[in-house]
Amino acid sequence: MKHYMLLSLLLALWCVPGAPVAHGGMKEGSCEDALAMAAAGLALSEINLDRTEGFVFALHHLSNVHTAQHGENGMVFYLTLDVVETICSVHSKKDWKACEIRDTTSTPVYGQCKAAIYISKVHRVVRLYKYNCIVRPVPAFRVHATCPDCPSLIGKDDPKIQETVSLSLEKFNREGGLSNRFTLLQVSRASAGWFNWWYYNVEYTIQETTCLSTAGAADPCPLLGCGFSHKGFCKGSLFSTPSGSTDTSVDCEIYEPECAEREKKGRVRSLPATGQMVILRCRMSRLRTDLRVTLSLKEDPQIPGQVEPSILPFPKVVSANCSPAAAGETLVGKVFSEDPMFKKWWAIWTC
């Protein structure tokens, strides 16, 4: 339904004045244009649906737009999206507009995505062709400057985090009221803080197994088939005291089984916070894949009598009608505007 509403907006706004031609038939677009903003919203929704781990991204700012016409009614948009992380798991399939953006108290994560998306206004087709995202957390010292008592991100393989996962998942299986046992899929986020004594927070995904919930943690429990196996997203905490006692809490959302497989269109890479050493290794095979021209050699699967669009190399220039987001008053906005990684915007698509 949301796609149809945005497509209706695209129908109303499609006839816009021509912009300067950049290269290869591309035209520069305006980041303030309602048509480009609608395309950016659709692109981000498709990126979130394509992802299988992590948290839903929300749009922070549209910082570059180019377009290429395909046929009489289609358009390929080449977009650079500044994004921020929300608290929704990608397994929830929630639209990014319905998700709460992660605030300073839980260390915000920000980054940038480049996306090539084809939209046909007449045939109501929205097709994401490729994307590439890089994200990183706000530095801990910046968070603690405004929130000294807030927890800090720590390694997901920390022994205390592993203990928190184990104890909280066991608590869920024991007290959750579901018939089958769930097992860990992946740890998504881990943090630790101090309030009278140490506490640990962990967010992780789980999946349903063939075992009953009364089964022991050491019992072999194969996963249920995709048509029957529920997945879930859990938030667990472990509170320790000087005496050595612990208290565990857990809260999980369970999602309906899903079997549909999607061809992966891109990837998301997580970098350390600014100030830490970052090494980006670029393999030439990957580089060629990201930059190659995708030719329209096959029929469009959704539009009879039409071939798919050619996806050109991503533009190496910023549209004259686009500008970086203002720093604003929020911590993530200030850090975003200062981060040299996202000023060198061409690098994150090619590396």
Side-chain angles (χ1 to χ4, degrees), residues 106-160:
S106 60
T107 307
V109 171
Y110 65 100
Q112 202 169 74
C113 295
K114 297 191 178 295
I117 186 169
Y118 168 65
I119 299 173
S120 172
K121 63 188 181 75
V122 171
H123 298 282
R124 297 187 178 275
V125 172
V126 176
R127 189 182 305 133
L128 178 69
Y129 272 92
K130 60 182 179 180
Y131 69 91
N132 199 346
C133 304
I134 284 183
V135 296
R136 69 192 331 169
V138 170
F141 77 91
R142 298 292 293 270
V143 173
H144 292 156
T146 59
C147 183
D149 296 328
C150 288
S152 299
L153 296 180
I154 63 173
K156 300 172 185 177
D157 57 352
D158 185 279
K160 278 294 184 180

Side-chain angles (χ1 to χ4, degrees), residues 129-318:
Y129 272 92
K130 60 182 179 180
Y131 69 91
N132 199 346
C133 304
I134 284 183
V135 296
R136 69 192 331 169
V138 170
F141 77 91
R142 298 292 293 270
V143 173
H144 292 156
T146 59
C147 183
D149 296 328
C150 288
S152 299
L153 296 180
I154 63 173
K156 300 172 185 177
D157 57 352
D158 185 279
K160 278 294 184 180
I161 291 301
Q162 297 300 311
E163 181 183 0
T164 305
V165 171
S166 178
L167 292 176
S168 61
L169 182 52
E170 191 61 32
K171 182 181 180 72
F172 172 74
N173 280 320
R174 186 175 63 251
E175 302 176 4
L178 300 177
S179 58
N180 284 8
R181 184 176 183 83
F182 280 73
T183 190
L184 175 69
L185 277 183
Q186 185 177 54
V187 176
S188 304
R189 187 180 174 92
S191 63
W194 175 278
F195 183 75
N196 295 327
W197 202 248
W198 286 106
Y199 64 90
Y200 302 89
N201 298 324
V202 64
E203 300 175 46
Y204 56 93
T205 52
I206 57 176
Q207 187 164 346
E208 188 176 10
T209 72
T210 59
C211 293
L212 295 178
S213 58
T214 53
D219 293 345
C221 293
L223 297 176
L224 280 171
C226 67
F228 306 95
S229 184
H230 295 79
K231 290 184 179 179
F233 173 68
C234 298
K235 296 181 179 181
S237 296
L238 177 67
F239 301 89
S240 301
T241 67
S243 64
S245 62
T246 60
D247 184 30
T248 306
S249 67
V250 65
D251 181 37
C252 298
E253 293 181 351
I254 304 300
Y255 311 121
E256 289 302 312
E258 182 181 15
C259 265
E261 292 188 5
R262 298 165 61 100
E263 179 187 356
K264 293 292 291 180
K265 303 298 183 182
R267 59 175 177 163
V268 176
R269 285 168 291 174
S270 298
L271 300 183
T274 54
Q276 302 180 39
M277 181 177 292
V278 176
I279 300 175
L280 291 180
R281 294 183 173 88
C282 303
R283 285 184 274 179
M284 288 308 295
S285 60
R286 172 72 68 181
L287 185 61
R288 286 193 292 269
T289 298
D290 284 344
L291 296 179
R292 71 168 185 254
V293 175
T294 302
L295 299 177
S296 54
L297 299 178
K298 57 181 181 179
E299 291 186 1
D300 193 295
Q302 295 172 278
I303 308 175
Q306 184 168 304
V307 296
E308 291 194 59
S310 296
I311 305 302
L312 302 172
F314 209 83
K316 297 184 179 181
V317 296
V318 178

